[in-house]
Amino acid sequence: MTTDPLATPYLDPGHVAGVVALPDPLARNAAITRGYHDLSEAVAELLGRDHANWLTFGQWASAEARESIDGRAVPAIVRPFFGHEVATAVANGNAVIFGDVALPFVRFVQLYAGVRAGDDPAAARSTLLADPLVTASEDTRRAFAAYADAWDLLAAGDPDPRARAERMLVANVSVGAHEQRVADPFVRAAIPGRWISAIIAT
């Protein structure tokens, strides 16, 4: 029996907030990684599975972050000096980034999952692009306009698959640009006393 991707609890903003507020950093990371997966599947249900959406990459990044949170990514020789600082910065960044990016995707899925055959999707688009979660930055607005374009192309029978691929790329890169700015302070904090290295790593 296949689980309905559009029935995940991660489509409830209250559930997302609860995950971000979990006190245990490893339990929170596991729930965030699961959240990226579930939301990625929900978006793929609407936009197709032949192009990854940004949440797919977020799931991978969150899983990778776990090695810094549990200390495995920090060399043993410096772990007593920097391990806790690195783990805290990565765990906090993991939570803040997920809390920032999940909610506009939740809004996208809520709106477009409700569009039925014969409906005019323009209403969903205008509501989406006026939502403060989406207009938080120029990058997020560009991203979700491009995701909406990809939805329109798919709904029209995908007359130009290259155009849909391009819109997905624009959307993913734009979300990534926004989230990189959110991540920057945590990347710097995760490399104590090494601002130049932190900027290079970013």
Side-chain angles (χ1 to χ4, degrees):
M1 180 176 172
T2 304
T3 304
D4 179 1
L6 299 179
T8 174
Y10 285 90
L11 289 173
D12 174 3
H15 185 79
V16 171
V19 164
V20 170
L22 286 170
D24 181 272
L26 287 173
R28 184 173 64 229
N29 170 260
I32 286 171
T33 302
R34 178 65 195 206
Y36 277 121
H37 172 268
D38 282 12
L39 290 174
S40 175
E41 288 293 299
V43 172
E45 190 75 3
L46 300 175
L47 296 181
R49 300 179 185 281
D50 48 343
H51 301 292
N53 60 71
W54 191 89
L55 296 161
T56 310
F57 305 111
Q59 176 186 352
W60 174 83
S62 183
E64 288 290 303
R66 187 174 187 87
E67 294 193 4
S68 293
I69 297 170
D70 68 14
R72 285 179 292 156
V74 180
I77 194 167
V78 298
R79 200 173 295 156
F81 306 102
F82 299 124
H84 178 71
E85 191 172 348
V86 170
T88 299
V90 173
N92 290 344
N94 187 224
V96 169
I97 292 165
F98 181 69
D100 182 73
V101 76
L103 296 179
F105 276 103
V106 167
R107 192 69 179 124
F108 174 81
V109 173
Q110 288 172 339
L111 287 167
Y112 279 87
V115 178
R116 301 289 177 246
D119 289 351
D120 181 2
R125 183 188 187 92
S126 62
T127 301
L128 178 72
L129 298 183
D131 193 300
L133 294 169
V134 171
T135 59
S137 74
E138 183 180 334
D139 285 319
T140 52
R141 193 178 192 287
R142 181 186 306 111
F144 285 93
Y147 284 131
D149 290 343
W151 187 94
D152 288 342
L153 287 164
L154 197 59
D158 208 6
D160 186 350
R162 292 181 64 179
R164 186 163 63 88
E166 184 268 342
R167 299 317 292 157
M168 289 295 292
L169 177 62
V170 167
N172 292 337
V173 170
S174 298
V175 176
H178 171 79
E179 291 309 322
Q180 191 59 64
R181 286 192 294 277
V182 176
D184 278 348
F186 300 100
V187 173
R188 294 190 186 104
I191 308 178
R194 296 173 176 80
W195 283 77
I196 294 175
S197 298
I199 291 167
I200 293 170
T202 300

